Amino acid sequence: MCEPVIEIESLSYRYPDGTDALRGVDLQAESGAKVGLVGPNGAGKSTLLLCLDGFLAADGRASVRGLSVSKANAKAIRSHVGLVFQNPDDQLFMPRLFDDVAFGPINQQLDPPQVRERVAEALADVGLTGMDDRAPHHLSMGQKRNAAIATVLAMKPDLLLLDEPSANLDPRSRRHLIDLLTGMSITMLIASHDLDMIVQLCDRVALLDAGRIVADGATADILSDESLMDRHGLEVPAVLASRT
Ligand code: ADP
């Protein structure tokens, strides 16, 4: 069996206003797995990603490659885990793309030549070579999404957490994104309502509703289960419905 990258046991999170967003989540993912995280609005998907990245301090146990997600390990966790926010404008805040992508490696205390190498590599990975001096807020939505992914790839994370990565992309940018993610061997947890994309990218899916994992298994089995999907406010994606 492959080494687990994500190990989550009995994870719960309550927002300060008393909203129970996660209620005892258990989830594991092996190295190299691409796991889809699906569920209706408000299920707790974004909260789970924020807890795994150490942004929110949850109760229970969560670890990434054996490193416990805790306040004490916050810096190390940020280095191991790359969270790509739903809105790239939350991730890109520097006047030049180079500086946004260099931000993580600089925080990892790499020396300037290593930082430049990381930036060049990450921009090449997402097809933005030569755009170093562009202002991130002038990029197209598809380019912004790729730039946001580059900011985390530059840190060489063990785990990529993606929150609605295909949101607001036109069909061609969405296709490029799917091809980009397909070509990466890094372990991923991908929260999305774009179930056609999840079918293409993920062999495995965890279905979250009201803060609990209600199903976890092969993507085709879970997403083609009409009654399960219906009970949790989802629809069988067209690509699977047409096969039945
Ligand atoms: P999803 O990503 O699946 O749509 P979220 O993780 O955003 O779900 O939300 C889970 C639950 O937590 C929802 O009930 C939502 O209203 C609540 N929630 C999200 N963010 C906050 C917040 N900052 N304060 C209070 N409640 C929140």
Side-chain angles (χ1 to χ4, degrees), residues 134-157:
R134 293 283 298 272
H137 60 278
H138 288 162
L139 299 176
S140 72
M141 189 59 187
Q143 290 171 329
K144 279 186 187 177
R145 180 87 59 206
N146 287 344
I149 293 173
T151 65
V152 301
L153 288 182
M155 299 179 78
K156 297 219 177 280

Side-chain angles (χ1 to χ4, degrees), residues 106-186:
I106 290 170
N107 269 326
Q108 288 176 316
Q109 279 152 6
L110 298 182
D111 59 39
Q114 287 175 310
V115 170
R116 284 196 294 277
E117 198 181 311
R118 288 283 188 96
V119 173
E121 223 178 292
L123 289 178
D125 285 347
V126 301
L128 293 178
T129 295
M131 312 269 273
D132 309 51
D133 291 328
R134 293 283 298 272
H137 60 278
H138 288 162
L139 299 176
S140 72
M141 189 59 187
Q143 290 171 329
K144 279 186 187 177
R145 180 87 59 206
N146 287 344
I149 293 173
T151 65
V152 301
L153 288 182
M155 299 179 78
K156 297 219 177 280
D158 290 317
L159 172 64
L160 207 52
L161 304 173
L162 297 140
D163 198 352
E164 294 290 355
S166 61
N168 303 317
L169 295 186
D170 65 26
R172 190 176 10 185
S173 304
R174 175 180 172 277
R175 168 53 42 209
H176 284 160
L177 174 84
I178 293 172
D179 291 344
L180 172 69
L181 297 180
T182 303
M184 290 183 186
S185 53
I186 185 167

